[in-house]
Amino acid sequence: MTTRAAYDSDVLVIGGGIVGLSTAYALTRAAPGTRVTVLEKEPGPARHQTGRNSGVIHSGIYYAPGSLKARYALRGAAEMAEFCAEHGIAHAVTGKLIVATDRAELPRLHALVQRGRRHGLPVRELGPAQITEYEPAVRGLAAIHVGTTGVCDFAAVATRLAAEVGAAGGVIRYGSDVVSVDRRSWGVAVRTADGAVVRARVLVNCAGLHCDRVARLAGDDPGVRIVPFRGEYYELTRPELVRGLVYPVPDPAFPFLGVHLTRGHDGGVHVGPNAVPALAREGYDWSVVRPHELADTLTWPGAWRIARRHWRYGAGEMRRSLSKQAFTSAVRRRLPDVTEADLRPAPAGVRAQAVLRDGTLVDDFLIREAPHTVHVLNAPSPAATASLPIGREVARRALLRARETGWRPPAVESGHCV
């Protein structure tokens, strides 16, 4: 049996976004004294999906009852607001409007009302005149108001989680790009680009945009490929036009919520995102092209099947990406006073969307296990909202895997054991 001294860490987490850091945080709380290491290739936390989104604490209304997204978003929304309040992180519970502008959207809006009530959410149905009570500049045929939606600074949450992990004795290594994973009978040995090797009982893969690549490094077939979709944002130069959050009625055929208006924790209003294929996993504009990553997408059969199946939807998204006028027209369906001059480009994000071989977009969170390994293979929005319960679930699985190596918690405090 490999001794404790032979391991550099009990649980090694790859990825310093909010899900990876939440997992590390949960590990230190569930089993105090567990040696936890986080490897993050960037010089700091939350540099990709966590720090490049609209900052919305989602209510959970969009997600099918019983799904992981619904369960974890419903629980996570309340927990995220509590975490922010406890640690002095900017946040607000603002509520939001979901606005129908076409009669064809009304059945889908009604279905959302029913789903929200099944979830126990405070949902109010609104007519055109009532919409203006909440948002004077917004127009629509009908809307619903969801009172539990909010906003926060997710990058600040991730930074705080990292500080909590460090205070509990965990180690976070920035600038540590994983290049190989050697899985043995006793655990895993991970090598980083600078030649460092970390030996651990269990590997947790929270690598986000690169999670399928890390799974393959570990010798596992993830069964999915990450197809990156860039979401492009604008900032509203007249933020007084929007009081809170305004969303379109989503199309259930797609996991994307459509172009929405978000008054953030700082008072600014972001508009977006659209969803267009990125030419690199971290392709934050059209000029960023990484041929080997693009080839990774183009050689996956599912990517071509998406294109064939949804080319009309994709063409509309591409048009809004390449034409500010087209983007503005989409916004004007709900906010008719907006002009092109009111929209100023803002930093884009890239969604790590897992796609099956048959072209199905994975709609739920996806967590899979292998010997000495837990892989988080699909955790796009609302993963930031749901990050605290996701982290606890991943930590629970990792600790069970650690026990298979003969590990036992070095210290257990009442109320924190799994």
Side-chain angles (χ1 to χ4, degrees):
M1 179 68 68
T2 303
T3 66
R4 175 178 168 87
Y7 293 102
D8 302 297
S9 183
D10 295 317
V11 182
L12 174 62
V13 179
I14 298 177
I18 199 168
V19 172
L21 291 169
S22 176
T23 298
Y25 172 72
L27 286 164
T28 63
R29 289 171 62 82
T34 302
R35 294 178 300 170
V36 178
T37 300
V38 179
L39 299 181
E40 166 55 47
K41 69 182 180 64
E42 302 295 349
R47 298 301 173 92
H48 295 291
Q49 291 185 106
T50 302
R52 288 175 168 267
N53 59 52
S54 54
V56 175
I57 302 175
H58 288 283
S59 65
I61 192 170
Y62 298 117
Y63 314 118
S67 66
L68 292 181
K69 280 188 175 182
R71 288 162 47 199
Y72 292 163
L74 289 165
R75 194 180 312 155
E79 291 184 16
M80 185 58 64
E82 291 171 5
F83 185 91
C84 290
E86 178 183 353
H87 296 287
I89 296 170
H91 73 291
V93 178
T94 59
K96 75 174 173 187
L97 294 184
I98 303 173
V99 181
T101 59
D102 186 285
R103 295 192 65 83
E105 296 173 337
L106 294 177
R108 301 206 304 267
L109 188 69
H110 181 69
L112 282 179
V113 172
Q114 301 304 112
R115 177 171 289 181
R117 289 174 177 163
R118 285 183 66 186
H119 286 325
L121 296 171
V123 179
R124 181 188 178 198
E125 297 181 78
L126 308 174
Q130 294 166 308
I131 291 173
T132 58
E133 294 176 14
Y134 288 95
E135 293 285 355
V138 171
R139 300 292 181 267
L141 296 178
I144 58 177
H145 180 263
V146 187
T148 52
T149 306
V151 292
C152 77
D153 185 345
F154 284 124
V157 172
T159 298
R160 184 66 200 190
L161 288 169
E164 294 288 316
V165 170
V171 175
I172 302 177
R173 298 186 184 180
Y174 297 113
S176 297
D177 189 11
V178 171
V179 295
S180 70
V181 178
D182 186 12
R183 187 160 54 195
R184 302 292 184 89
S185 60
W186 48 263
V188 294
V190 172
R191 184 181 298 275
T192 59
D194 61 4
V197 175
V198 183
R199 291 169 289 274
R201 297 176 183 273
V202 177
L203 170 67
V204 174
N205 170 15
C206 294
L209 287 159
H210 303 277
C211 63
D212 57 335
R213 179 181 67 85
V214 170
R216 294 196 298 271
L217 286 177
D220 295 321
D221 177 5
V224 298
R225 186 69 50 87
I226 294 298
V227 175
F229 286 89
R230 184 171 61 256
E232 295 159 333
Y233 291 90
Y234 287 90
E235 184 178 359
L236 195 60
T237 61
R238 290 195 289 159
E240 66 274 10
L241 289 176
V242 178
R243 290 179 174 178
L245 310 180
V246 181
Y247 276 66
V249 180
D251 185 335
F254 302 97
F256 312 110
L257 297 179
V259 172
H260 46 273
L261 302 128
T262 305
R263 176 174 283 275
H265 61 87
D266 59 358
V269 175
H270 275 75
V271 186
N274 58 356
V276 296
L279 305 181
R281 302 233 175 171
E282 296 163 17
Y284 295 113
D285 60 58
W286 287 112
S287 69
V288 181
V289 183
R290 293 180 181 159
H292 65 287
E293 294 180 358
L294 181 57
D296 203 36
T297 296
L298 295 178
T299 56
W300 183 244
W304 292 100
R305 288 170 178 149
I306 291 173
R308 286 196 296 269
R309 194 175 301 158
H310 301 304
W311 67 269
R312 286 189 179 87
Y313 180 92
E317 294 292 294
M318 288 285 287
R319 181 168 174 265
R320 286 185 284 275
S321 172
L322 299 172
S323 167
K324 187 178 182 182
Q325 180 182 20
F327 191 99
T328 305
S329 294
V331 178
R332 283 173 56 85
R333 292 182 63 188
R334 287 162 192 84
L335 192 67
D337 290 345
V338 78
T339 67
E340 286 188 52
D342 293 326
L343 299 178
R344 178 170 57 213
V350 176
R351 177 188 179 105
Q353 177 62 54
V355 178
L356 298 176
R357 184 176 288 274
D358 67 1
T360 301
L361 299 167
V362 178
D363 190 42
D364 206 357
F365 299 140
L366 180 61
I367 305 169
R368 287 184 174 162
E369 298 180 54
H372 307 302
T373 312
V374 181
H375 298 293
V376 180
L377 294 172
N378 195 58
S381 180
T385 297
S387 56
L388 293 172
I390 291 174
R392 286 196 302 273
E393 173 61 18
V394 177
R396 182 188 70 81
R397 297 189 189 202
L399 291 174
L400 289 175
R401 288 283 171 183
R403 288 177 182 273
E404 294 173 358
T405 69
W407 172 87
R408 292 294 179 269
V412 177
E413 297 178 1
S414 177
H416 290 308
C417 59
V418 290

